[in-house]
């Protein structure tokens, strides 16, 4: 028989790991709601044109990473490689602007990019992100940064640090690019192939290069912040003021640029971990031209996104554990006659909110206690022929090993009470 495997670049997320995923998703829901963000769900595929327009044709995503296909009617469709373009499309299509001056939206789901698979990087990966549409005020940038920091703190991530920068706007970006080009131009031959390509298409991205060889030539880089226009300068200043007011520690990192072309003014990353093991857990920024670029009005916007694979990996590396929902009790009928009775008990417990498992196998008591240990249950209720006659089972406390008789009539109420008490203590 053929042994099927997952497609290259994809993976299964197994129950041992989904606990962490659910924890991250749950925290996102909780924390984002505190900031008045509401969830939006868009399709997994969109018209290819949307991404060509929204992401920027000179990016790696557009040039080589999109999963594009034609449907049976010859429409060009693409599996979404990121979330923002679709959210903006849905925002415009649903006329939300007429219903609310400011829209705070968040999304989650799988994204697709045809990348070379490597550790922690997959062709189907998962993102959670948020977008604030209709707000140009510097407070909004700060609120989004504050929410990101709040969220990652709630996950238990250690040594969080916020890095910010301004990448300018339509007016001052060309000046920034020219400065960079004239500074790097002399050394162009010494830069890596990616950088040489970016020199023509998007010189700002050269700053993003992780190649140590290129880094040597960045020494003495012109100060980008001095080239910003008055509007960008004062916006960046206000963002830093708000961060100070909210006592959010941050660093201005003049080398911080984001992979996507559409960012304007503020860009930021949240970093976790100590020096040497630092990881960016999320990135985002302002994108004041994208809504118009996608056919809408000139409307400022700001947001951030993070990859779940990466965040889960960092949590694992930092030994962050989350409570795992396991059964509270195992029903252990011995012999066929007891199975029906035990099944009724198991179902009654589940209906009263107590997670219960039942072992109807033909195994003996020793084996059933062993599997109870493996499950990590607090109690085992043992039902043999004698117990059926007496209408009274043996309740074993798996922590203390103590065992006592509990009548059938008292059993469900007793377990429910124990369960509530145990849960209250945690
Ligand atoms: Zn500017
Ligand atoms: Zn380079």
């Amino acid at each position: 028989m053929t042994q099927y495997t997952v497609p290259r670049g994809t993976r299964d997320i197994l129950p041992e790991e989904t606990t962490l995923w659910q924890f991250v998703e749950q925290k996102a829901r909780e924390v984002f709601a505190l900031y008045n963000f509401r969830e939006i769900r868009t399709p997994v595929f969109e018209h290819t044109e949307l991404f060509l327009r929204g992401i920027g044709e000179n990016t790696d995503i557009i040039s080589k990473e999109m999963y594009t296909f034609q449907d049976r009617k010859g429409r060009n469709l693409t599996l979404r490689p990121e979330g923002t373009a679709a959210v903006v499309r849905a925002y415009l299509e649903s006329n939300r602007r007429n219903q609310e001056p400011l829209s705070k939206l968040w999304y989650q789901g799988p994204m697709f990019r045809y990348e070379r698979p490597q550790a922690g990087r997959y062709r189907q990966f998962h993102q959670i992100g948020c977008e604030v549409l209709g707000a140009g005020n510097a407070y909004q940038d700060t609120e989004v940064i504050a929410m990101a920091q709040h969220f990652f703190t709630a996950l238990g991530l250690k040594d969080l640090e916020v890095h910010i920068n301004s990448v300018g706007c339509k007016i001052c970006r060309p000046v920034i690019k020219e400065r960079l080009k004239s500074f790097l131009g002399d050394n162009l031959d010494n830069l890596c192939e990616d950088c040489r390509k970016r020199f023509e298409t998007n010189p700002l991205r050269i700053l993003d290069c992780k190649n140590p060889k290129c880094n040597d030539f960045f020494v003495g880089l012109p100060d980008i912040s001095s080239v910003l226009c008055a509007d960008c300068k004062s916006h960046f200043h206000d963002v830093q003021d708000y961060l100070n007011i909210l006592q959010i520690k941050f660093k201005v990192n003049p080398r911080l640029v984001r992979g996507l072309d559409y960012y304007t003014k503020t860009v930021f990353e949240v970093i976790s971990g100590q020096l040497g093991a630092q990881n960016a857990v999320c990135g985002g920024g302002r994108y004041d031209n994208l809504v118009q670029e996608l056919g809408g009005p000139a409307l400022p916007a700001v947001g951030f996104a993070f990859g779940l694979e990466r965040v889960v990996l960092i949590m694992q590396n930092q030994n962050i554990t989350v409570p795992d929902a396991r059964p509270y009790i195992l029903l252990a009928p011995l012999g066929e006659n007891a199975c029906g009775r035990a099944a009724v008990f198991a179902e009654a417990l589940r209906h009263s909110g107590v997670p219960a498992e039942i072992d109807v196998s033909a195994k003996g008591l020793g084996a059933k206690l062993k599997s109870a240990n493996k499950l990590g249950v607090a109690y085992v209720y043992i039902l043999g022929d004698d117990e059926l006659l007496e209408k009274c089972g043996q309740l074993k406390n798996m922590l203390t090993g103590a065992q006592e008789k509990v009548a059938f009539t008292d059993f469900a109420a007793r377990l429910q009470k124990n369960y509530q008490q145990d849960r209250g203590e945690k």
Side-chain angles (χ1 to χ4, degrees):
M1 220 178 88
T2 318
Q3 183 87 49
Y4 294 107
T5 57
V6 290
R8 184 168 155 78
T10 68
R11 66 191 280 259
D12 302 308
I13 303 154
L14 300 172
E16 290 70 26
E17 207 184 305
T18 46
T19 312
L20 270 175
W21 284 66
Q22 287 168 356
F23 179 77
V24 175
E25 289 156 2
Q26 180 58 29
K27 280 284 172 243
R29 227 170 268 138
E30 282 170 23
V31 174
F32 294 0
L34 294 173
Y35 291 78
N36 189 29
F37 278 77
R38 299 174 74 197
E39 189 182 0
I40 181 167
R41 301 189 182 197
T42 64
V44 160
F45 57 85
E46 298 273 351
H47 293 290
T48 304
E49 188 58 31
L50 175 75
F51 300 120
L52 294 182
R53 211 69 222 149
I55 296 175
E57 307 207 15
N58 294 325
T59 56
D60 288 349
I61 300 179
I62 297 297
S63 59
K64 52 189 187 207
E65 294 173 0
M66 293 213 299
Y67 274 97
T68 296
F69 59 97
Q70 286 199 335
D71 72 3
R72 284 160 196 273
K73 285 273 159 70
R75 297 176 191 96
N76 275 316
L77 301 169
T78 295
L79 297 181
R80 60 181 178 195
E82 58 95 54
T84 302
V87 170
V88 171
R89 196 258 319 129
Y91 167 84
L92 292 173
E93 196 171 341
S94 60
N95 275 317
R96 285 197 76 76
R97 208 196 163 191
N98 296 338
Q99 303 151 42
E100 52 191 22
L102 185 72
S103 287
K104 292 175 162 187
L105 304 167
W106 75 275
Y107 61 86
Q108 63 170 332
M111 311 286 161
F112 306 85
R113 288 183 202 173
Y114 194 88
E115 290 187 282
R116 201 167 58 82
Q118 44 184 298
R121 188 165 290 194
Y122 300 93
R123 289 178 175 173
Q124 174 175 330
F125 58 101
H126 301 78
Q127 280 194 338
I128 292 181
C130 68
E131 319 288 357
V132 182
L133 293 138
N137 193 295
Y139 167 72
Q140 230 53 244
D141 308 39
T142 313
E143 188 183 78
V144 159
I145 293 170
M147 184 168 87
Q149 160 129 327
H150 187 154
F151 167 71
F152 290 112
T153 303
L155 292 187
L157 288 182
K158 298 182 182 86
D159 307 309
L160 291 170
E161 218 173 73
V162 174
H163 288 192
I164 61 168
N165 193 22
S166 175
V167 292
C169 66
K170 266 183 185 161
I171 296 159
C172 55
R173 179 97 53 101
V175 188
I176 297 173
K177 284 185 178 173
E178 268 326 301
R179 285 278 178 98
L180 278 177
K181 280 177 112 165
S182 64
F183 175 79
L184 292 167
D186 294 341
N187 291 310
L188 198 56
D189 291 341
N190 296 314
L191 300 181
C192 74
E193 198 194 321
D194 278 344
C195 283
R196 287 204 299 270
K197 228 161 67 194
R198 286 168 181 165
F199 188 82
E200 295 308 327
T201 56
N202 187 358
L204 215 59
R205 289 256 358 240
I206 292 180
L207 299 180
D208 208 17
C209 184
K210 303 284 186 282
N211 193 325
K213 201 185 81 174
C214 296
N215 270 260
D216 292 346
F217 296 100
F218 296 157
V219 181
L221 210 64
D223 182 8
I224 290 180
S225 63
S226 69
V227 193
L228 294 175
C229 69
D231 182 35
C232 285
K233 247 183 205 160
S234 83
H235 185 92
F236 195 38
H237 186 263
D238 291 348
V239 170
Q240 295 179 57
D241 270 356
Y242 272 120
L243 286 170
N244 284 325
I245 289 169
L246 297 180
Q247 297 187 314
I248 294 170
K249 279 199 197 119
F250 65 93
K251 245 186 217 162
V252 175
N253 175 0
R255 291 265 313 269
L256 178 64
V257 290
R258 302 281 311 151
L260 299 175
D261 285 351
Y262 55 58
Y263 286 111
T264 54
K265 294 182 177 167
T266 317
V267 290
F268 74 93
E269 280 180 354
V270 178
I271 318 273
S272 173
Q274 284 171 334
L275 210 65
Q278 280 185 327
N279 283 290
V281 287
C282 85
R286 179 163 280 288
Y287 49 97
D288 286 347
N289 304 321
L290 183 64
V291 180
Q292 194 168 29
E293 197 70 29
L294 293 177
L299 212 60
V302 57
F304 76 85
F306 64 91
L308 274 134
E309 278 81 1
R310 192 188 184 107
V311 166
V312 165
L313 193 68
I314 295 170
M315 288 172 78
Q316 287 168 332
N317 288 341
Q318 295 186 2
N319 295 317
I320 295 169
T321 53
V322 301
D324 194 358
R326 307 295 302 157
Y328 185 65
I329 179 167
L330 178 73
L331 282 297
L334 303 171
E336 263 175 52
N337 294 333
C339 282
R341 189 73 231 182
V344 171
F345 280 141
E347 198 57 13
L349 286 171
R350 291 158 179 165
H351 278 272
S352 63
V354 181
E357 182 55 291
I358 178 170
D359 185 348
V360 294
S361 71
K363 287 181 217 153
L365 182 58
K368 290 194 179 187
L369 288 178
K370 221 181 215 174
S371 57
N373 263 326
K374 219 172 156 191
L375 276 174
V377 297
Y379 291 97
V380 177
Y381 196 46
I382 304 156
L383 300 164
D385 288 338
D386 293 347
E387 284 77 16
L388 278 185
L389 276 175
E390 281 182 55
K391 295 196 186 339
C392 191
Q394 301 275 352
L395 185 66
K396 189 175 176 70
N397 182 324
M398 295 302 283
L399 199 66
T400 64
Q403 193 164 310
E404 59 172 313
K405 285 186 172 184
V406 175
F408 287 178
T409 46
D410 302 335
F411 170 67
R414 163 85 179 269
L415 251 288
Q416 203 180 345
K417 206 175 123 205
N418 285 6
Y419 179 63
Q420 278 159 0
Q421 274 173 356
D422 279 3
R423 281 232 301 193
E425 278 168 17
K426 271 173 201 163

